[in-house]
Structure formats: structure tokens, C-alpha cells
Amino acid sequence: MTLKFIGTTSEGGNCPTLYEVVETGDIVVQGDQLTSSEDLAQLRDVGEHETFVVIPRELLTRFAPKE
């Protein structure tokens, strides 16, 4: 897998950040992991291999692909 940096709204190289998987066009999201049991209980259809991260809306509206 080859990752291409798309953008970040963070200062000093910390997350959150968006990357594109060059081979597929899929998006990889880097952010703070959601760990609150109350928050996790609200999610649906969670696979054992899945995890969740929190990112600011600004990051998506500013850098998410428009295509």
C-alpha cells in the first residue's frame, strides 16, 4: 500500500491527518482514538477488526476529495 499525504489541520505534525491510498483511491484517517465506552456503545455493526478515530469537520471539508 502506498499512502499519499492529503492534508492536516493540526499544528506541529500531530494528528488529525488524511491520506489517500494511491492504488485504490481509498482514504486513510489519522486521529485520536475514540475510547469512551458510552460513545462506543452508540456505534452500529462494529467488526472486531474496526477502530474509530475522532477528526474535526474542518479537516474533511477542507481536504476530502470532491470527486
Side-chain angles (χ1 to χ4, degrees):
M1 177 186 314
T2 306
L3 297 178
K4 174 183 161 190
F5 172 81
I6 295 175
T8 185
T9 54
S10 64
E11 301 287 330
N14 294 322
C15 59
T17 304
L18 294 179
Y19 300 89
E20 178 181 357
V21 179
V22 173
E23 294 83 359
T24 65
D26 291 342
I27 303 300
V28 174
V29 178
Q30 174 186 344
D32 291 329
Q33 188 173 12
L34 185 65
T35 58
S36 163
S37 58
E38 289 180 5
D39 295 339
L40 291 169
Q42 298 177 64
L43 301 170
R44 296 189 251 175
D45 304 319
V46 178
E48 290 183 26
H49 62 282
E50 295 178 321
T51 190
F52 303 91
V53 296
V54 178
I55 58 168
R57 179 177 295 275
E58 177 190 4
L59 179 62
L60 292 178
T61 59
R62 190 170 177 194
F63 292 107
K66 308 293 189 265
E67 304 167 5

